[in-house]
Amino acid sequence: MVSVKFEHQARALELWYFVVTRKLQALTGRGNMDVSLVTIDKDDRNVLENLFHYYIYEMSDFLALSPNQDGHFGYNKSQFDIYWKSECHLPYFIYVDQELAGFVLIRKYPSDPSINDIEQFFVLRKFNGKGVGKRAFKLVTQLISGNWQIRVLIENSRALHFWESSVSNIVGQNYTQSKGIDIDLLMFFIQFEVAS
């Protein structure tokens, strides 16, 4: 009799856990999504160039950019050349399961090559708020240890919040944040170290 009662309680707890877990997944969109990074081959450069239009569109709010006469946000595509010419530049697509979800472009910072720098980081809106960006960034720091820097436009408070939270998930409060000029833009600089 006692074992039957225990089995019913155990099944009830399993059911409760299942229901709560499903609700949490539905609310946060964080089910069992598999986030991965895939090196961008030169043959897939056109996919990066296509996605970059969406990145420019997202940044247009902060940089007061407007589309050209054809309705495109123009940019200099030759800026990507170095990603297939220099070992100091690493391009990755971000995937969720088998679906393309964004990209991350990593480089050694030009004025201090001892620093790994996120040159650009982009996640499609359909994946925003689901932990995809944080998990992708964690993968990046698992691949590449050392000194890191993330630059965020002063006006982009949403991105600043994302990066503060993402960096904290990896190094706790062991990071610095300062303001500085990068090229001709005022930015926040978040710097930290990831041990190997």
Side-chain angles (χ1 to χ4, degrees):
M1 187 74 160
V2 172
S3 66
V4 172
K5 185 176 181 183
F6 177 74
E7 285 178 24
H8 286 297
Q9 289 174 339
R11 284 189 185 149
L13 283 174
E14 286 176 10
L15 180 60
W16 174 82
Y17 178 78
F18 176 78
V19 169
V20 169
T21 302
R22 288 297 171 141
K23 284 182 180 179
L24 180 62
Q25 290 171 355
L27 289 171
T28 64
R30 292 186 183 151
N32 294 322
M33 291 188 297
D34 180 33
V35 177
S36 60
L37 300 175
V38 175
T39 302
I40 302 174
D41 294 325
K42 192 172 185 177
D43 292 342
D44 292 324
R45 176 182 173 150
N46 65 316
V47 178
L48 172 63
E49 291 173 353
N50 291 339
L51 280 178
F52 206 74
H53 287 283
Y54 297 106
Y55 173 79
I56 296 292
Y57 170 73
E58 296 254 332
M59 298 304 290
S60 69
D61 199 27
F62 310 108
L63 298 172
L65 302 173
S66 297
N68 62 23
Q69 295 289 28
D70 295 328
H72 292 105
F73 285 91
Y75 65 92
N76 182 358
K77 292 180 181 181
S78 68
Q79 70 182 334
F80 298 132
D81 292 347
I82 197 163
Y83 278 91
W84 292 276
K85 292 180 180 177
S86 169
E87 292 179 1
C88 294
H89 289 72
L90 302 170
Y92 293 99
F93 284 131
I94 299 168
Y95 277 87
V96 172
D97 299 320
Q98 301 300 313
E99 187 176 352
L100 182 61
F103 61 83
V104 56
L105 303 178
I106 304 161
R107 65 180 178 169
K108 294 292 187 180
Y109 194 58
S111 63
D112 185 351
S114 70
I115 296 175
N116 300 303
D117 179 69
I118 299 288
E119 187 169 19
Q120 270 97 20
F121 187 94
F122 176 71
V123 175
L124 290 167
R125 282 190 176 194
K126 81 179 266 186
F127 298 106
N128 285 356
K130 297 180 179 178
V132 171
K134 287 181 181 178
R135 292 185 353 214
F137 179 62
K138 184 173 184 178
L139 289 172
V140 166
T141 60
Q142 290 171 340
L143 286 172
I144 305 165
S145 59
N147 295 318
W148 275 95
Q149 168 178 281
I150 297 163
R151 297 161 296 110
V152 181
L153 289 169
I154 292 288
E155 301 85 357
N156 195 344
S157 58
R158 193 177 100 216
L160 180 63
H161 176 73
F162 165 79
W163 285 115
E164 288 171 337
S165 178
S166 297
V167 170
S168 291
N169 285 345
I170 294 166
V171 297
Q173 296 303 310
N174 296 322
Y175 67 91
T176 62
Q177 184 175 312
S178 59
K179 291 180 185 176
I181 301 291
D182 185 63
I183 304 174
D184 60 348
L185 299 170
L186 183 60
M187 296 195 173
F188 287 107
F189 286 75
I190 300 171
Q191 296 181 320
F192 57 99
E193 183 176 357
V194 175
S196 52

